[in-house]
Amino acid sequence: MYLQKINLKNKYALVTGAGKGLGRACSIALAEAGATIIALSRTQSDLDKLEKEIKKIKGKVIKVNCDVMNYKELKENLDKIKIIDVLVNNAGIAVMRPISEYSTADYDLQMDVNIRSVFLGCKKALPAMIASGGGSIVNMSSVAALRGI
């Protein structure tokens, strides 16, 4: 158990990019601490695997299959969620190729996932967080924010 000293019982934690990697690990750790996980991922099969893992530890999960870059889709899915206590903006990508081979489409994709989706997630989650009396927002980043590759 990663968050042994934290009690998130009766709290709702929204995690983007929840199907893989750090998002998956954050979702499991938050579920172990008692939170109901609102798991967002573009890949339904990843959400299904995460659900099985969380249910093994007697946790609760709400699966949301959507693309965080699409505000209309994000809004439609999250309008159904009335309580958000924790937001983990974890969805992110890295387009790994030399800048000389990097296209404007590559740039737009990376900015949309890594920056725009954080703004959109906060914009959508904040009203529910404020209505419930506040909460916590965690914006994930990588070492690429500190030094170039």
Side-chain angles (χ1 to χ4, degrees):
M1 181 173 208
Y2 295 102
L3 303 175
Q4 293 175 353
K5 296 181 181 181
I6 297 176
N7 180 358
L8 295 176
K9 190 173 183 172
N10 301 318
K11 302 290 184 186
Y12 287 79
L14 170 63
V15 181
T16 67
K20 293 184 175 127
L22 287 173
R24 183 177 175 280
C26 288
S27 296
I28 292 167
L30 290 164
E32 287 175 342
T36 296
I37 306 304
I38 306 163
L40 271 69
S41 176
R42 291 179 300 158
T43 311
Q44 186 64 46
S45 60
D46 290 341
L47 288 170
D48 295 339
K49 289 176 192 171
L50 176 65
E51 178 181 41
K52 286 179 186 172
E53 186 93 17
I54 289 175
K55 284 188 174 187
K56 280 183 194 174
I57 58 170
K58 308 283 190 256
K60 297 176 190 168
V61 63
I62 299 166
K63 300 182 296 183
V64 181
N65 182 237
C66 79
D67 186 338
V68 294
M69 294 187 302
N70 182 330
Y71 184 66
K72 182 180 179 206
E73 186 178 331
L74 185 66
K75 182 177 180 332
E76 286 172 1
N77 281 289
L78 295 186
D79 277 347
K80 301 168 193 164
I81 309 295
K82 301 301 178 199
I83 301 170
I84 299 172
D85 300 293
V86 177
L87 169 62
V88 179
N89 281 309
N90 171 71
I93 63 165
V95 179
M96 302 298 289
R97 67 174 124 266
I99 191 76
S100 59
E101 297 172 21
Y102 213 79
S103 70
T104 54
D106 292 333
Y107 174 84
D108 289 343
L109 175 65
Q110 192 157 321
M111 293 300 114
D112 281 350
V113 175
N114 296 350
I115 296 173
R116 187 171 188 263
S117 74
V118 171
F119 165 74
L120 295 177
C122 289
K123 180 176 174 58
K124 187 58 203 146
L126 277 172
M129 294 177 92
I130 291 167
S132 67
S136 298
I137 298 174
V138 178
N139 293 323
M140 301 291 262
S141 183
S142 75
V143 71
L146 302 174
R147 68 168 222 207
I149 43 177

